[in-house]
Amino acid sequence: MRIDELPVRKGRGREEFFVKRELVIVLDFGGQYNQLVARRVRECNVYCEIYSYKTNIEKIKAMNPKGIILTGGPNSCYEPGAPTYSSELFNLGVPVLGLCYGAQLMMQVLGGTVARAGVREYGKTEVLLDKTQSKIFKNVQEKTICWMSHFDSIFKAAPGFEITAHTADCPVAAAENEEKGLYAIQFHPEVLHTEEGTKMLSNFVKNVCGCSGDWRMDSFVEESIRQIRKRVGDGKVLCALSGGVDSSVAAVLLSKAVGEQLTCVFVDHGLLRKNEGDEVEAVFGPAGSYDLNFIRVNAQQRFYGKLAGVSEPERKRKIIGEEFIRVFEEEAKKIGTVDFLVQGTIYPDVVESGLGGESAVIKSHHNVGGLPDYVDFKEIIEPLRDLFKDEVRKAGLELGIPEYLVYRQPFPGPGLGVRIIGEVTAEKVRIVQDADAIYREEIEHAGLSRNIGQYFAALTNMQSVGVMGDERTYDYAVALRAVNTIDFMTAEAADIPYEVLQKVMSRIINEVKGVNRVLYDLTSKPPGTIELE
């Protein structure tokens, strides 16, 4: 793996580490699958980052990318005010791949014709290759199933382009100018419904862009440890340890890099899963198997007080995030001079907080958009900031963290604060803790835990009339959530056997005081998020 010097990236009063490597850039035009493009490229062992289409051409040149991918988007490229880019992008000498809207924009800018299609294509569509020897279609079947989602079509390819694929209703399903390294694809190779989509993306980044495919977790871990050690020197480091997958991997990574210079502070804010505070201390505390300077702060009442009367989810996130930082500052003062704060921020946190591409702010994560404007640390280290969740787990295994910790259920930084709809109270926390514990226990007993991306119980703000023991009740409804997901950027509701759901429902209603209804959430992401909030 060819890695240069580790620079420091600055912004919002923080400094972050990242390792230079072969880079493919995704320019985001606002489509729903944009994070998937980056994820699929990384599956080809090629590093990829997302930027807005508004990114200045000089900044793109400075990043020296091996390739550029233009994503889909909801607009018509020929309409006034539609997202666009100058023709200079296509004359950098860097290969460019346009997908859906990106393909149409490439044709429009370079002199082709794009207009409203007579027949709108949506869903699985048979694509017929006109040029099977195309670099991007190497080893792709002549007839292949792809995912279409467009109401505009390319009616005339730009000068210098050769049509390389079509469908029954789309005359230009793909086109290319091989000499200039420009490729346009009308369909979406990034979604799993396109049967040979990953192969096409791999062909682009390797056959066209010439990437070596050396983005691997063993190299990432090794270089991260070396560069963190170099950057930190003899400084003191404070790690925000929640016990979740992300912060645990970050803590062990820093421990291997700087050893006793690291202190891990675990804040029990009273919004953890049932018994989780004690479980975290058992693993990472003095009696655990890791050589960490571990401090537990019991701050339950402090957080409950701050959240009293607050029901809006974004405000709850910001309150919890700021209170986290204030607790860390207080603990740092007890330790002495602390130079660095470590957080387990991951790439989906960044994207959903509106700091990547054209994504709107979905929700502020306490370790990204939820941070207060001022923090009393010289630098903030986020060693996992560029990784998706499954990449974080691979890094954890490379670090020697046991599988049962690496694959534990994901848990949001604000904890149950965002799994309780409406105001947070100690009583509501008890209800959702007990319900969630039962749910997770039954999923484990059914042997489903490793087959579901994430599952948990949330407490709705709805109370309704019920009958228990021939008496009228007026209690809460608990919502069960379970999703299948690869990258946590998109998700579908898991198909849990009805008998398992029935058992969970029966146990929750019989064993958890204050609940008389249990619901199952079928919403996918998008349009919903994984958390209920």
Side-chain angles (χ1 to χ4, degrees):
M1 184 174 184
R2 297 184 297 278
I3 299 176
D4 302 318
E5 185 64 21
L6 181 77
V8 177
R9 183 189 298 168
K10 300 183 178 181
R12 272 191 55 83
R14 71 178 68 192
E15 297 186 355
E16 297 135 12
F17 298 114
F18 72 99
V19 179
K20 282 186 178 179
R21 55 184 73 87
E22 289 184 332
L23 173 66
V24 169
I25 291 174
V26 170
L27 286 185
D28 183 353
F29 287 87
Q32 62 177 317
Y33 301 129
N34 297 339
Q35 286 76 41
L36 282 181
V37 179
R39 185 65 198 86
R40 297 292 176 254
V41 171
R42 291 195 192 185
E43 286 179 0
C44 303
N45 296 320
V46 174
Y47 185 71
C48 187
E49 285 187 345
I50 303 168
Y51 292 90
S52 167
Y53 73 91
K54 299 172 185 175
T55 303
N56 184 277
I57 191 72
E58 295 304 320
K59 181 177 180 180
I60 291 176
K61 289 179 183 177
M63 288 187 283
N64 192 28
K66 297 281 286 186
I68 300 170
I69 300 177
L70 313 182
T71 72
N75 302 94
S76 292
C77 65
Y78 49 80
E79 292 182 345
T84 189
Y85 214 101
S86 69
S87 60
E88 188 177 359
L89 181 72
F90 306 105
N91 293 306
L92 293 176
V94 176
V96 181
L97 170 63
L99 307 179
C100 197
Y101 181 87
Q104 296 167 3
L105 179 65
M106 182 186 294
M107 293 297 101
Q108 181 81 5
V109 169
L110 296 179
T113 302
V114 179
R116 185 59 57 98
V119 177
R120 181 179 186 272
E121 285 186 311
Y122 184 83
K124 292 183 178 181
T125 305
E126 185 179 63
V127 172
L128 300 117
L129 302 188
D130 299 306
K131 184 181 179 182
T132 55
Q133 70 272 28
S134 167
K135 289 183 179 180
I136 208 166
F137 292 136
K138 182 180 179 181
N139 296 324
V140 174
Q141 298 178 57
E142 189 172 348
K143 294 182 180 180
T144 186
I145 299 299
C146 301
W147 184 262
M148 289 284 192
S149 179
H150 66 104
F151 48 78
D152 289 332
S153 282
I154 301 165
F155 283 90
K156 180 183 176 183
F161 279 78
E162 175 184 5
I163 297 173
T164 56
H166 70 280
T167 73
D169 297 306
C170 183
V172 186
E176 66 181 50
N177 184 327
E178 183 177 354
E179 182 181 354
K180 290 189 174 182
L182 304 179
Y183 294 81
I185 294 179
Q186 180 60 72
F187 49 86
H188 289 274
E190 70 272 21
V191 301
L192 296 179
H193 303 299
T194 298
E195 294 178 355
E196 298 179 274
T198 299
K199 188 183 297 182
M200 297 174 196
L201 290 173
S202 178
N203 284 338
F204 175 71
V205 298
K206 293 180 179 178
N207 295 346
V208 177
C209 301
C211 293
S212 58
D214 56 10
W215 165 242
R216 300 185 307 273
M217 280 302 104
D218 54 351
S219 298
F220 172 84
V221 167
E222 180 181 341
E223 279 302 313
S224 294
I225 289 172
R226 183 176 70 84
Q227 296 288 0
I228 289 169
R229 185 178 294 144
K230 178 181 177 181
R231 181 65 184 143
V232 170
D234 59 359
K236 288 188 177 181
V237 184
L238 187 64
C239 179
L241 176 61
S242 69
V245 176
D246 306 330
S247 69
S248 296
V249 172
V252 175
L253 182 63
L254 265 292
S255 177
K256 289 184 179 291
V258 300
E260 293 184 357
Q261 295 165 240
L262 172 68
T263 298
C264 291
V265 175
F266 166 56
V267 178
D268 187 344
H269 50 22
L271 302 170
L272 300 171
R273 289 169 287 206
K274 189 172 184 177
N275 301 324
E276 192 162 31
D278 294 338
E279 292 171 0
V280 170
E281 184 171 4
V283 173
F284 293 103
S289 55
Y290 296 97
D291 186 20
L292 304 177
N293 295 318
F294 179 87
I295 297 173
R296 177 174 178 174
V297 182
N298 293 311
Q300 294 91 335
Q301 296 308 315
R302 175 172 174 170
F303 278 84
Y304 292 162
K306 289 286 184 179
L307 292 168
V310 179
S311 59
E312 203 278 317
E314 185 67 5
R315 191 171 164 218
K316 287 193 288 186
R317 283 180 173 272
K318 289 185 179 295
I319 288 171
I320 294 168
E322 177 160 356
E323 210 55 28
F324 257 103
I325 291 294
R326 298 305 166 224
V327 172
F328 294 141
E329 288 174 342
E330 293 168 9
E331 293 304 317
K333 289 175 183 176
K334 296 176 186 177
I335 297 167
T337 301
V338 174
D339 305 293
F340 303 90
L341 173 65
V342 177
Q343 295 190 141
T345 308
I346 66 173
Y347 203 46
D349 298 342
V350 177
V351 174
E352 290 191 343
S353 295
L355 301 182
E358 277 299 291
S359 298
V361 177
I362 307 300
K363 52 193 175 186
S364 292
H365 290 261
H366 76 287
N367 50 358
V368 187
L371 280 177
D373 291 330
Y374 170 75
V375 293
D376 192 16
F377 298 100
K378 184 194 301 183
E379 298 179 16
I380 294 179
I381 301 174
E382 296 174 316
L384 310 178
R385 185 182 175 90
D386 292 336
L387 303 187
F388 286 94
K389 177 70 75 173
D390 59 319
E391 293 173 323
V392 173
R393 289 194 168 113
K394 290 177 183 176
L397 294 175
E398 288 290 338
L399 287 163
I401 301 175
E403 282 197 15
Y404 77 90
L405 287 179
V406 170
Y407 286 100
R408 78 180 299 175
Q409 276 292 296
F411 194 61
L416 300 180
V418 295
R419 292 182 180 176
I420 294 172
I421 311 302
E423 183 183 9
V424 175
T425 67
E427 175 64 10
K428 287 183 176 180
V429 170
R430 177 200 58 82
I431 291 173
V432 74
Q433 281 180 335
D434 289 346
D436 181 71
I438 290 170
Y439 186 30
R440 287 186 290 121
E441 183 179 311
E442 291 303 328
I443 291 292
E444 285 279 355
H445 286 171
L448 301 173
S449 59
R450 291 291 290 272
N451 299 327
I452 302 174
Q454 186 170 351
Y455 54 93
F456 58 88
L459 184 62
T460 74
N461 204 27
M462 179 184 77
Q463 289 179 282
S464 61
V465 174
V467 179
M468 297 179 71
D470 295 327
E471 293 184 358
R472 179 185 184 275
T473 63
Y474 188 65
D475 289 326
Y476 285 104
V478 163
L480 304 179
R481 183 76 160 139
V483 297
N484 290 322
T485 178
I486 295 173
D487 48 31
F488 289 81
M489 299 308 304
T490 62
E492 293 182 345
D495 186 10
I496 297 178
Y498 185 71
E499 58 271 19
V500 175
L501 291 175
Q502 279 285 91
K503 187 172 184 180
V504 173
M505 176 275 298
S506 178
R507 283 195 59 192
I508 289 176
I509 288 178
N510 287 327
E511 299 175 30
V512 182
K513 184 180 179 182
V515 178
N516 66 2
R517 288 184 189 271
V518 176
L519 314 173
Y520 187 67
D521 184 1
L522 290 172
T523 314
S524 62
K525 175 186 179 181
T529 62
I530 291 178
E531 300 293 341
L532 267 65
E533 301 196 65

